[in-house]
Amino acid sequence: MTKLGAHRVHTVRVRGGNTKYRALRLENGNFNWASETVTRKTRIIDVVYNASNNELVRTKTLVKNAIVQIDATPFRQWYEKHYNATIGHKKGAKHTEKKDDTKKSKKVIAKLAARKETAAVDSKIDEQFATGRLYACISSRPGQSGRADGYILEGKELEFYLRKLKSKKQH
């Protein structure tokens, strides 16, 4: 079973002389933001939900389809560079535009302006960016591949797991 912690992966010889990578401990993974088609390596902060067993949440065990919290910083940096717009500011907080000291050509300015028109992020994801943590699902099998890769939860799937987490906190 793969736990959350400092990177520790063993190689295991399997049938046919092939090898598997048994992850004993992992602290980061490659996560995909599907609606923006971008993937970044980021730190796994915590295991928050597992449909199969609550014991796996308590012991912070990483398995396939475990819902984890990941660090939002790499995705925030990408978004702010790609769209030249800020994301995840709390309501009521003073919103300050940052000045760009770098010179940009007219072509780049036009490209950024065109991107800004399509830069719409779901309000629930924007709230997560404000906290600095995103909910993600692990889609790889860490005990078999030695990696914890996955995707950021969005849309109906995010709403479903937010409901599950809310009902879990009430009990």
Side-chain angles (χ1 to χ4, degrees):
M1 295 289 232
T2 307
K3 304 285 184 185
L4 195 59
H7 184 81
R8 185 183 298 166
V9 178
H10 289 176
T11 56
V12 179
R13 186 190 179 280
V14 293
R15 186 175 170 97
N18 297 320
T19 56
K20 283 185 182 179
Y21 299 97
R22 176 93 5 103
L24 302 176
R25 289 189 190 148
L26 290 174
E27 60 188 351
N28 49 33
N30 222 18
F31 289 90
N32 179 29
W33 188 3
S35 65
E36 296 291 337
T37 60
V38 65
T39 302
R40 292 286 179 265
K41 185 174 184 177
T42 184
R43 188 170 57 94
I44 301 170
I45 298 169
D46 195 14
V47 178
V48 292
Y49 182 77
N50 195 315
S52 61
N53 193 345
N54 277 333
E55 185 76 8
L56 299 176
V57 176
R58 191 181 63 76
T59 58
K60 298 185 187 309
T61 304
L62 301 172
V63 292
K64 184 172 181 173
N65 286 333
I67 306 303
V68 295
Q69 274 191 330
I70 61 171
D71 185 20
T73 306
F75 295 102
R76 177 197 310 271
Q77 289 171 343
W78 174 85
Y79 187 90
E80 290 177 353
K81 185 173 183 184
H82 187 74
Y83 290 110
N84 200 25
T86 57
I87 187 171
H89 285 286
K90 294 178 181 153
K91 291 175 184 157
K94 287 194 175 184
H95 180 69
T96 57
E97 284 291 324
K98 58 181 179 181
K99 290 281 185 178
D100 241 354
D101 296 345
T102 58
K103 286 187 176 181
K104 293 181 180 153
S105 65
K106 289 180 184 175
K107 184 178 179 181
V108 171
I109 292 169
K111 188 189 289 186
L112 290 172
R115 284 180 185 166
K116 256 187 185 174
E117 293 172 9
T118 61
V121 177
D122 186 27
S123 63
K124 287 185 172 57
I125 292 181
D126 197 36
E127 290 170 14
Q128 289 180 33
F129 270 109
T131 63
R133 296 173 171 207
L134 297 170
Y135 287 116
C137 181
I138 295 177
S139 57
S140 66
R141 297 170 68 193
Q144 306 291 319
S145 65
R147 304 161 54 115
D149 301 338
Y151 58 93
I152 295 174
L153 296 176
E154 299 179 284
K156 298 273 188 199
E157 193 174 14
L158 176 61
E159 291 174 19
F160 173 80
Y161 284 113
L162 286 175
R163 260 196 323 273
K164 288 283 190 184
L165 290 169
K166 191 175 181 182
S167 67
K168 190 176 116 177
K169 283 181 184 176
Q170 288 175 351
H171 290 290

